[in-house]
């Protein structure tokens, strides 16, 4: 890409002369905000960042657009260009919920104090957040406010009711190319460094003078609003109280009837749509000086605790923000919207208008480009079409490489003679009463060709060729047909006019309508009545196939080549019926009827879930994060560890795991339930020192029935121990458990190895930091590709059993294994982490795709593939309309619509179905017609030709 090399050149000049200007390589590219930001970004590096002012270390406040907001997330469509920011948002929130939960769950006495997370928990939890999201997250931290951490890992030197001055474990990915064990000298991306930001020189990160503080801990700008610590909110508005009920298992297969725990805790807020505050805010992009030395964006959410915790004076207890939970992402990986937006639009950012689309086109951002030029495409405006050489929209990356003369070529041509969209009554007359048109004589064709000469000299030769070919075929066909059977001659003639005239694309709109409706009507007449002689039939077939144009280009659209018109462009009517039946089946099953439905009807084929790994990536990574954490923790924790005053963590206890599954469900709008399912005898309860046969804490997004208040019900959650599920639905018999166990129990080959380098504080006040006793710490954990996706199924409660919790919806479960250490010091499969997501949020891709893609819905979009191609669209809906049919190269959208230039999937599917049911429809009109103009500018000649052609067609197309 020209831009990258430019950046490189600019960077090297910068190093040479110490100053540089970013400009486009060609004159037509004016200097814009992107260039200004590039200049700023390349002028800062790890050597000079310490000396630069705060303002040169950060980008303008409005550099980020469309940041996720907690209260509107459930109502918007999630596009792929926001997935990374949503993961960033959810991870900050997830840790915020978890630490709020656990700090208040175990805060009563000296007895439960040791069971709170120790320093290893904080360290490895932050590390797992980073290692489970390569390419998404670069860092994760919990930063406590002054005197808010009652640390339990200094039992001999810190009294249990006293606090550490500051505590801020932060993990980030390290460029390890210089490690002496890294022979390849290539970053592995698997090395994590964890430091306590509250130790070392200048460690008071909460102080105003501190470098970090203005960058992401505190930013009072109303568009940013990060001010969680120190907590100045005296009201309870920003601290919601959540209820939770936990049902235990009496023994394997026996569930408790009543919840054994009913409590509540204060956590990050969960604002309704009216409220103006959010639980998570995003910093402006800043240079992370001295750590990653990259431009990053940080999401910041609060952690709530009841302070002063062990004070005798109960009336002093109040919830307050004690810490912030943060996650970082490389700014260059965030997609931005380069299209022009009006200043008062909510999508307006610093980069609006950076795209270089021409005035006849409409700009649309493309996902996956990050902070790079060219992440957009230019569609023709409604009422315009592409010049004949252009296949599909103009791509930004082509435009950004265009030289000065080339830059004018990315314009569209106006479409003449547009059709008013027909109403229901309009279709009925033209659909039924169509009779065949008078055949156009050879002299007509000559006249048309003459007109065309006037119209555009450059396309003349092609037209002449086509007209000549048309005549020749006409003659040939007539001769052959005469020879075969004079009786069928009339069919042949009929077919010839029906199958399409080579010059029909010259005629104006009215004819196009008549033509497209008349065609199939004529065919229908042709087919059944008398069987045609074989030779004639072959001839007819031959004619049909000759008329079809094949276009074969290599233009691509993201990963997939959708303009390709070879074998891929097919529509399978029987598949459509199967798909329709499947959708009907999913709709027919409701929580009321599912009990009486045969079990095999409650499971859909696995191919239905095709694409879930992309759409639910954020949710699956939440499960992966927990699997990474459980693996890291169980492979490394040692309660007997002593390092100066520091003590190792206790083993995992059930409160921590319940906290983890609760926070998975609470921090993500699409996770309906989440669980950690231990294999047989893998979990032992450190409180009772007893091994549990099975243990499966599962949290649900189901409000407590006792709550009548709607808002409070949204803030209440339920969990249960899945070990109590009856043996008919035991979790160790579910495919999402069994398949993973079969794969991983005997063979752990293929796990990824991660290296963490923890630094701990040297003394209580953190005057300096030192490497931990065991340094580095290793753990092995699964990759994202190891996530198992279940078939879509209906989670049913057949007998309405009040002691059974079910989601009563079509769902998909994603599960991922975690590993500990066996008594023989080998890696051991310990269980799986699962999240369950709603099928109703999944988009169906009905467009043609590669033969090896196991997509149930492939080839079921009833687009007219001879003139259109299919583009999937994202709506977060499980319905047969997530596509559009756009015009192919050389074709134009014939209707006079002000806002669209394609046939929307909903309309196409609906009309196709009506046609199959012999109802009134205009399916046949949902095509594109051959483009008729190739000149960029409408001239007088065009207008004359238009008038002539209109007059001519009124002559030639006399019908009835
Ligand atoms: C901590 O507890 C001890 C007794 O257990 C008490 O004397 C002391 O005042 C407490 N300190 C604080 C800071 O609450
Ligand atoms: C590490 O990450 C970089 C940037 O995403 C990538 O280019 C590189 O291939 C990765 N290295 C490995 C060994 O996967
Ligand atoms: C850090 O700075 C803040 C603000 O200056 C101050 O209130 C706090 O006591 C300091 N904390 C430490 C541990 O010095
Ligand atoms: C993300 O994609 C959608 C759909 O194409 C678009 O409407 C939106 O503006 C894009 N957002 C950004 C920030 O690029």
């Amino acid at each position: 890409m020209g831009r990258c090399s430019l950046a490189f050149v600019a960077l090297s000049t910068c190093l040479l002369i110490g100053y540089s200007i970013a400009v486009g390589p060609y004159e037509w590219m004016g200097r814009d905000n992107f260039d200004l930001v590039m200049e700023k970004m390349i002028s800062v590096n790890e050597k000079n960042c310490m000396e630069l002012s705060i303002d040169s270390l950060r980008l303008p406040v409005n550099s980020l657009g469309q940041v996720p907001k907690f209260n509107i997330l459930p109502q918007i469509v999630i596009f792929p260009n926001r997935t990374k920011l949503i993961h960033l948002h959810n991870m900050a929130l997830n840790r915020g919920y978890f630490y709020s939960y656990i700090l208040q769950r175990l805060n009563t006495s000296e007895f439960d104090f040791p069971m709170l997370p120790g320093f290893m928990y904080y360290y490895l939890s932050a590390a797992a957040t980073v290692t489970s999201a390569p390419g998404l997250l670069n860092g994760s931290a919990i930063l406590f406010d002054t005197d808010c951490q009652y640390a339990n890992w200094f039992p001999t030197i810190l009294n249990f009711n006293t606090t550490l001055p500051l505590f801020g474990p932060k993990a980030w990915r390290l460029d390890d190319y210089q490690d002496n064990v890294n022979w390849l000298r290539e970053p592995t991306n698997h090395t994590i460094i964890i430091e306590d930001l509250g130790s070392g020189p200048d460690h008071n990160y909460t102080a105003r003078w501190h470098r970090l503080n203005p960058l992401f801990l505190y930013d009072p700008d109303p568009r940013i609003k990060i001010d969680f610590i120190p907590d100045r909110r005296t009201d309870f508005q920003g601290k919601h109280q959540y209820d939770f009920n936990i049902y235990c298992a009496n023994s394997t297969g026996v569930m408790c009837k009543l919840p054994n725990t009913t409590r509540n805790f204060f956590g990050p807020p969960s604002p309704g749509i009216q409220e103006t505050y959010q639980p998570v805010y995003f910093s402006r992009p800043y240079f992370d000086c001295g750590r990653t030395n990259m431009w990053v964006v940080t999401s910041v959410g609060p952690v709530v605790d009841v302070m002063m915790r062990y004070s005798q004076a109960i009336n002093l207890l109040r919830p307050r923000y004690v810490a912030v939970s943060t996650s970082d992402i490389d700014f260059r990986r965030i997609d931005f919207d380069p299209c022009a937006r009006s200043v008062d639009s909510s999508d307006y950012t610093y980069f609006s208008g950076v795209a270089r689309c021409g005035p006849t086109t409409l700009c649309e951002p493309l996902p996956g480009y990050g902070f790079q030029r060219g992440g957009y495409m230019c569609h023709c405006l409604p009422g315009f079409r592409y010049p004949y050489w252009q296949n599909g929209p103009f791509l930004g990356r082509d435009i950004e490489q265009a030289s000065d003369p080339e830059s004018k070529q990315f314009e569209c041509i106006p479409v003449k003679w547009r059709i008013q969209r027909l109403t229901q009554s309009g279709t009925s007359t033209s659909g039924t009463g169509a009779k065949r048109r008078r055949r156009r004589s050879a002299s007509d064709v000559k006249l048309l060709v003459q007109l065309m000469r006037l119209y555009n000299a450059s396309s003349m030769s092609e037209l002449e060729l086509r007209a000549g070919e048309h005549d020749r075929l006409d003659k040939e066909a007539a001769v052959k047909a005469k020879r075969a059977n004079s009786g069928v001659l009339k069919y042949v003639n009929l077919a010839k006019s029906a199958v399409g005239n080579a010059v029909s694309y010259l005629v104006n709109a009215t004819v196009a309508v008549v033509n497209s409706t008349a065609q199939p009507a004529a065919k229908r007449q042709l087919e059944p009545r008398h069987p045609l002689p074989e030779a004639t039939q072959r001839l007819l077939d031959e004619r049909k196939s000759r008329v079809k144009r094949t276009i074969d280009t290599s233009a691509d659209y993201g990963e997939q080549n959708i303009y390709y018109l070879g074998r891929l462009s097919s529509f399978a009517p029987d598949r459509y019926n199967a798909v329709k039946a499947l959708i009907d089946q999913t709709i027919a099953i409701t929580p009321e009827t599912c009990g009486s439905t045969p079990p095999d009807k409650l499971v859909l084929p696995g191919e239905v879930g095709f694409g879930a790994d992309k759409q639910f990536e954020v949710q699956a990574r939440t499960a992966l994060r927990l699997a990474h954490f459980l693996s890291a923790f169980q492979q490394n924790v040692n309660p007997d560890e002593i390092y100066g005053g520091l003590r190792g963590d206790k083993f995992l206890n059930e409160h921590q795991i319940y906290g983890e599954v609760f926070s998975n469900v609470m921090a993500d709008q699409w996770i309906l339930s989440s669980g950690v399912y231990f294999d047989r005898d893998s979990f032992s309860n450190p409180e009772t020192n007893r091994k549990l046969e099975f243990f499966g804490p599962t949290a649900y997004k189901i409000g407590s029935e006792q709550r009548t208040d709607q808002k409070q019900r949204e803030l209440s959650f339920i969990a249960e121990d899945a070990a109590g599920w009856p043996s008919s639905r035991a979790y160790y018999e579910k495919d999402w458990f069994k398949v993973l166990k079969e794969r991983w129990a005997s063979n752990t080959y293929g796990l990824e190895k991660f290296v963490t380098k923890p630094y701990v504080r040297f003394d209580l006040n953190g005057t300096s930091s030192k490497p931990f006793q065991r340094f580095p710490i290793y753990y092995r954990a699964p990759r994202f590709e190891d996530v198992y996706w279940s078939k879509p199924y209906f989670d049913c409660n057949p007998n309405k059993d009040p002691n059974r919790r079910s989601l009563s919806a079509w769902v998909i479960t994603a599960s991922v294994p975690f590993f500990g250490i066996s008594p023989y010091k080998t890696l051991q499969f310990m269980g799986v982490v699962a999240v369950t997501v709603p099928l109703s949020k999944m988009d169906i891709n009905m467009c043609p795709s590669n033969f090896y893609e196991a997509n149930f819905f492939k080839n079921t979009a009833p687009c007219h593939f001879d003139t259109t191609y299919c583009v999937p669209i994202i709506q977060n809906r499980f319905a047969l309309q997530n596509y559009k049919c756009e015009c192919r190269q050389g074709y134009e959208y014939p209707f006079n619509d002000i806002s669209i230039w394609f046939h929307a999937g909903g309309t196409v599917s609906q009309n196709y179905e009506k046609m199959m049911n012999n109802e009134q429809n205009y399916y046949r009109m949902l095509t594109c017609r051959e483009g008729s103009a190739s000149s960029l500018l409408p001239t007088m000649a065009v207008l004359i030709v238009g008038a002539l052609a209109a007059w001519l067609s009124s002559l030639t197309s006399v019908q009835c």
Side-chain angles (χ1 to χ4, degrees):
M1 198 127 297
R3 178 58 45 171
C4 298
S5 53
L6 174 83
F8 178 70
V9 170
L11 183 62
S12 27
T13 3
C14 164
L15 293 180
L16 285 178
I17 60 172
Y19 181 69
S20 76
I21 295 183
V23 281
Y26 295 105
E27 267 172 20
W28 72 279
M29 302 175 172
R31 231 163 97 77
D32 54 24
N33 285 351
F34 189 94
D35 292 313
L36 298 184
V37 165
M38 279 298 282
E39 270 165 34
K40 194 160 194 174
M41 284 174 67
I42 57 189
S43 65
V44 182
N45 57 36
E46 70 266 33
K47 301 217 175 62
N48 66 10
C49 66
M50 288 294 178
E51 284 82 48
L52 289 175
S53 71
I54 290 293
D55 268 336
S56 35
L57 292 184
R58 51 185 195 185
L59 297 185
V61 180
N62 58 348
S63 317
L64 271 195
Q66 300 177 0
V67 291
K69 292 203 171 74
F70 180 88
N71 53 0
I72 59 165
L73 270 181
Q75 323 206 350
I76 57 170
V77 175
I78 312 277
F79 292 107
N81 54 18
R82 295 292 96 175
T83 337
K84 287 176 180 153
L85 283 186
I86 286 175
H87 191 59
L88 198 68
H89 175 272
N90 290 358
M91 277 301 129
L93 195 57
N94 188 306
R95 292 300 81 200
Y97 277 124
F98 173 75
Y99 288 112
S100 305
Y101 174 91
I102 199 75
L103 292 177
Q104 293 167 57
R105 183 78 181 82
L106 301 171
N107 68 354
T108 43
S109 64
E110 215 159 340
F111 173 70
D112 58 15
F113 180 65
M115 297 193 326
L116 279 169
F119 85 100
M120 275 291 237
Y121 202 109
Y122 285 97
Y123 273 45
L124 293 177
S125 161
T129 310
V130 179
T131 58
S132 61
L136 287 162
L137 255 60
N138 273 352
S140 170
I142 296 284
L143 302 171
F144 277 88
D145 200 355
T146 310
D147 283 329
C148 284
Q149 170 59 263
Y150 292 88
N152 63 3
W153 52 95
F154 293 111
T156 51
I157 52 176
L158 191 70
N159 210 340
F160 104 94
N161 60 4
T162 41
T163 53
L164 284 183
L166 289 166
F167 181 57
K170 172 167 173 125
W172 69 93
R173 193 172 283 117
L174 202 62
D175 188 354
D176 60 348
Y177 81 103
Q178 276 184 323
D179 274 17
N180 45 11
V181 289
N182 187 354
W183 310 114
L184 285 176
R185 291 279 177 269
E186 239 179 46
T188 61
N189 305 340
H190 286 171
T191 304
I192 306 290
I193 180 168
I194 316 168
E195 270 185 16
D196 182 354
L197 300 193
S199 67
D202 290 352
H203 61 252
N204 190 352
Y205 49 76
T206 64
R208 285 286 172 270
W209 49 263
H210 197 272
R211 271 273 146 139
L212 276 182
N213 201 323
L215 293 179
F216 69 88
L217 273 181
Y218 181 77
D219 197 335
D221 189 292
R223 285 164 291 182
I224 308 270
K225 283 206 279 206
I226 303 176
D227 59 346
F228 293 125
I229 57 170
D231 183 14
R232 295 209 181 78
R233 283 162 229 237
T234 47
D235 54 349
F236 282 62
Q237 170 206 41
K239 296 147 200 168
H240 282 143
Q241 194 170 22
Y242 299 88
D243 297 346
F244 59 92
N245 290 338
I246 299 178
Y247 295 78
C248 67
N250 284 336
S251 61
T252 303
V254 185
M255 205 76 186
C256 300
K257 291 270 186 288
L258 290 173
N260 65 330
T261 313
T262 304
R263 290 181 61 149
N264 48 43
F265 73 99
F266 289 94
S270 229
I273 190 77
Q274 308 284 352
E275 268 119 345
T276 54
Y277 53 91
Q278 303 290 339
V280 176
Y281 292 102
F282 289 81
S283 77
R284 29 186 134 178
Y286 65 94
F287 189 78
D288 187 23
C289 187
R291 294 203 171 78
T292 47
N293 292 319
M294 288 194 302
W295 287 85
V296 299
V297 169
T298 299
S299 63
V300 186
V303 176
V304 185
D305 193 2
V306 178
M307 295 294 269
M308 305 294 298
R309 200 191 286 167
Y310 301 106
S311 155
Q312 308 293 330
I314 302 289
N315 57 346
L316 288 185
L317 288 181
R318 72 171 186 98
R320 68 169 272 201
Y321 291 157
V322 292
V324 291
S325 134
T326 69
S327 330
D328 307 339
I329 187 176
D330 183 353
F331 169 65
R332 291 168 306 174
R333 288 182 181 268
I334 304 175
D335 287 330
F336 69 97
D337 179 0
C339 300
R341 308 281 179 213
S342 79
V343 181
D344 33 74
S345 142
S346 62
D347 290 344
Y348 180 82
T349 67
Y350 193 68
F351 299 108
S352 288
V354 163
R356 296 184 158 125
C357 286
T360 55
T361 59
L362 198 69
C363 171
E364 191 183 315
L366 285 179
Y369 277 75
F371 186 68
Q372 219 185 137
R373 282 205 191 257
Y376 60 94
M377 58 187 175
C378 309
H379 277 291
C380 282
L381 281 173
F384 286 80
R385 66 178 196 82
Y386 300 103
Y388 68 85
W389 62 79
Q390 178 62 26
N391 193 0
F394 302 111
L395 293 178
R397 59 167 188 241
D398 295 334
I399 299 178
E400 295 294 340
Q401 295 177 45
S403 61
D404 295 280
E406 284 165 351
S407 68
K408 310 218 168 34
Q409 310 232 337
F410 301 99
E411 292 294 350
C412 297
I413 304 162
V415 171
K416 301 291 159 51
W417 307 309
R418 288 194 283 155
I419 308 174
Q420 288 302 332
R421 191 173 270 290
L422 292 181
T423 57
Q424 207 64 27
S425 55
T427 47
S428 64
T429 51
S430 65
T432 52
K435 293 233 176 87
R436 100 187 147 87
R437 267 190 299 146
R438 187 173 68 85
R439 210 186 122 217
R440 191 176 286 128
S441 70
S443 56
D444 287 347
V445 175
K446 291 230 175 62
L447 180 60
L448 278 174
V449 169
Q450 249 167 12
L451 285 169
M452 280 307 286
R453 197 187 299 274
L454 265 180
Y455 188 57
N456 189 333
S458 70
S459 56
M460 218 30 244
S461 51
E462 201 210 358
L463 259 178
E464 254 167 0
L465 219 72
R466 278 162 155 271
E469 172 79 347
H470 174 77
D471 280 354
R472 194 180 59 75
L473 291 172
D474 264 4
K475 276 186 205 123
E476 243 178 54
V479 172
K480 276 195 194 159
K482 207 176 268 167
R483 231 183 284 139
N485 182 350
S486 58
V488 275
L489 186 59
K490 65 172 193 284
Y491 292 115
V492 178
N493 284 341
L494 198 64
K496 267 188 293 184
S497 60
V499 170
N501 276 307
V503 283
S504 68
Y505 60 118
L506 224 194
V507 302
N508 80 359
T510 14
V511 184
V513 178
V514 173
N515 200 8
S516 63
T517 51
Q519 252 183 38
K523 265 189 225 153
R524 217 183 302 133
Q525 277 179 6
L526 255 181
E527 280 150 13
R529 268 181 259 151
H530 312 284
L532 294 175
E534 207 188 17
T536 321
Q537 187 61 54
R538 207 171 336 114
L539 193 70
L540 284 176
D541 291 346
E542 219 172 279
R543 283 299 305 275
K544 275 189 221 158
S545 60
R546 213 175 278 143
V547 170
K548 203 180 223 162
R549 293 210 316 176
T550 48
I551 302 164
D552 192 344
T553 66
S554 60
D556 67 343
Y557 183 86
E559 297 166 5
Q560 197 189 336
N561 181 355
I562 58 169
Y563 307 123
Y564 178 62
L565 181 63
R567 281 161 296 137
L568 288 180
S569 66
S570 49
F571 166 60
D574 49 334
R575 292 298 304 150
Y576 188 90
N577 295 338
V579 156
K580 181 81 185 134
L582 182 120
I583 297 284
D584 291 343
Q585 177 192 343
T586 60
I587 294 171
I589 292 172
T590 61
E592 283 72 41
T593 62
C594 70
S596 52
T597 314
D600 64 322
K601 284 263 187 300
L602 296 180
V603 180
L604 302 180
E607 294 96 326
V608 172
F610 177 82
D613 53 340
K614 294 229 166 55
Q615 286 220 10
F616 296 118
E617 180 182 347
V618 167
Q619 288 71 31
R621 282 204 191 273
T622 305
L624 188 67
R625 192 210 77 84
L626 188 48
H628 273 222
F629 168 70
L630 293 173
S631 301
F633 195 76
Q634 303 197 67
Q635 288 167 32
N636 285 295
V637 67
N638 177 2
D640 302 328
E641 209 156 43
I642 301 178
Y643 187 44
L646 199 71
R647 295 289 185 279
D649 274 37
K650 307 279 174 292
F651 289 120
L652 277 180
N653 58 54
E654 58 171 354
H655 305 296
Q656 292 165 345
I657 300 173
Y658 273 114
E660 293 283 359
V661 292
F662 269 126
S663 51
N664 281 356
V665 170
M666 294 166 81
D668 192 304
Q669 40 146 349
W670 281 2
I671 295 183
L672 299 180
S673 82
S674 172
V676 174
Y677 302 94
F678 282 87
D679 198 9
R680 187 185 295 271
D681 292 337
S682 291
F683 181 76
S684 70
N685 190 344
E687 290 165 76
T688 56
N689 229 339
R690 199 166 58 88
K691 266 201 169 148
L692 299 182
E693 188 182 10
F694 289 105
F695 184 49
T698 310
Y700 296 91
K701 215 185 233 105
I702 309 179
S704 156
E705 291 301 320
Q706 286 92 5
R707 288 290 183 165
T708 44
D709 175 15
Q710 175 61 25
K711 175 74 187 172
Q712 198 55 44
R713 185 177 295 186
E714 277 166 26
L715 301 183
S716 64
F717 295 86
I718 290 182
E720 65 182 355
D721 180 358
W725 290 353
S727 54
S728 59
R729 61 187 279 252
Y731 69 74
Y732 43 87
E733 295 289 351
K734 300 272 185 195
D735 62 333
W736 43 260
F737 188 91
K738 260 196 333 198
V739 170
L740 287 179
K741 182 170 176 182
E742 278 157 17
R743 160 67 184 87
W744 295 102
S746 58
N747 182 354
T748 54
Y749 180 80
L751 294 180
E752 227 43 279
K753 176 177 169 183
F754 296 97
V755 183
T756 59
K757 299 183 169 177
Y759 288 82
V760 295
R761 58 180 58 204
F762 187 73
D763 54 19
L764 276 187
N765 290 329
T767 44
S768 66
S769 75
K770 61 182 175 183
F772 181 57
Q773 186 175 21
R774 284 183 293 129
F775 184 93
I777 288 179
Y778 302 99
Y779 63 92
R780 286 190 166 75
R783 300 163 307 156
F784 183 70
E785 291 72 24
D786 298 324
V787 173
Y788 173 82
W789 296 86
S790 80
K791 293 176 182 174
Y793 63 96
F794 193 89
D795 188 18
C796 181
N797 185 356
N799 308 321
K800 306 274 164 315
D801 181 356
N803 294 319
R804 170 170 176 172
R805 281 143 291 275
S806 80
L807 298 168
S808 295
W810 286 98
V811 293
I812 300 179
T813 296
S815 60
V816 56
F818 62 92
F819 299 85
I821 297 284
S822 73
Y824 314 105
K825 303 282 172 231
T826 57
L827 270 189
Q828 190 192 12
F829 171 82
M830 302 279 273
V832 307
V833 180
V835 295
T836 302
V837 291
L839 183 67
S840 60
K841 290 288 180 196
M842 205 184 87
D843 278 314
I844 290 174
N845 182 354
M846 301 169 73
C847 292
S849 60
N850 291 317
F851 68 91
Y852 50 79
E853 282 181 359
N855 177 3
F856 190 85
F857 300 97
K858 182 163 71 180
N859 291 341
T860 57
C863 289
H864 291 274
F865 281 101
D866 44 352
T867 61
T868 63
Y869 61 85
C870 176
V871 183
I873 53 181
I874 292 168
Q875 297 186 325
N876 294 163
R877 286 175 64 184
F878 192 70
L880 295 183
Q881 39 176 269
N882 300 338
Y883 65 95
K884 55 188 179 185
C885 309
E886 288 205 40
C887 295
R888 278 194 182 281
Q889 180 172 27
Y891 290 82
E892 64 190 18
Y893 182 74
F895 294 102
N896 190 14
D897 280 330
I898 13 179
S899 56
I900 59 169
W901 59 91
F902 50 79
H903 299 292
T907 321
V908 178
S909 295
Q910 199 184 20
N911 279 284
Y912 174 75
E913 277 168 30
K914 281 190 182 163
M915 187 186 77
M916 298 316 282
N917 299 337
N918 285 326
E919 287 168 31
Q920 224 175 53
N921 67 85
Y922 50 100
Y923 174 66
R924 291 188 305 262
M925 309 227 355
L926 301 174
T927 65
C928 292
R929 69 169 179 230
E930 277 191 81
S932 52
S934 354
S935 146
L936 274 174
L937 295 170
T939 59
M940 205 53 208
V942 172
L943 299 180
I944 294 170
V945 171
L948 278 174
W951 165 77
L952 178 83
S953 59
S954 67
L955 285 186
T956 53
S957 64
V958 184
Q959 26 173 332
C960 313

